[in-house]
């Protein structure tokens, strides 16, 4: 039970850091959704292209060309959306890590020397770096 409360508290703190990144986070979700829909639709276009091959000598080449060009256009759009999604995700993740590190270093600067002297050299900084780099 205590672990769940600790996890909930940690989640609230992380969501607090995400607050100032709402716009890029929402944009990333939109681009992710667009990319997912396109990835699901492209196989349908290929299926339509295959369906235009009726029998030997009865092939609608113009229709196949149209479906393949649509697929190509959607593949390019999907690639761009995926790239934008990744860039926004990286911006949010690196921003949150920077904010957490800034806050942690500010807190370390306020620690009394007796605390730092009472712990092994580098332990405090090592914990900070390990915890933040999990993002």
């Amino acid at each position: 039970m205590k672990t769940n409360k600790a996890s909930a508290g940690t989640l609230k703190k992380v969501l607090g850091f995400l607050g100032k990144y709402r716009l890029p986070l929402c944009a990333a979700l939109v681009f992710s959704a667009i990319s997912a829909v396109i990835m699901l639709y492209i196989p349908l276009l290929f299926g339509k292209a295959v369906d235009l091959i009726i029998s030997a000598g009865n092939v609608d080449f113009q229709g196949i060309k149209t479906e393949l060009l649509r697929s190509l256009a959607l593949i390019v759009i999907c690639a761009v959306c995926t790239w934008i999604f990744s860039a926004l995700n990286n911006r949010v993740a690196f921003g949150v890590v920077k904010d957490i590190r800034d806050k942690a270093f500010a807190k370390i600067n306020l620690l009394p020397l007796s605390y730092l002297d009472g712990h092994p050299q580098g332990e405090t900084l090592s914990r900070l770096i390990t915890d933040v780099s999990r993002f």
Side-chain angles (χ1 to χ4, degrees), residues 18 88-98 135:
L18 284 173
L88 289 170
N89 263 356
N90 285 342
R91 175 175 285 171
V92 170
F94 292 135
V96 168
V97 167
K98 180 191 174 302
F135 274 102

Side-chain angles (χ1 to χ4, degrees), residues 18-39:
L18 284 173
K20 78 179 203 181
Y21 298 100
R22 282 188 196 122
L23 185 62
L25 201 55
C26 289
L29 288 174
V30 167
F31 283 108
S32 172
I34 291 169
S35 179
V37 168
I38 291 173
M39 280 190 244

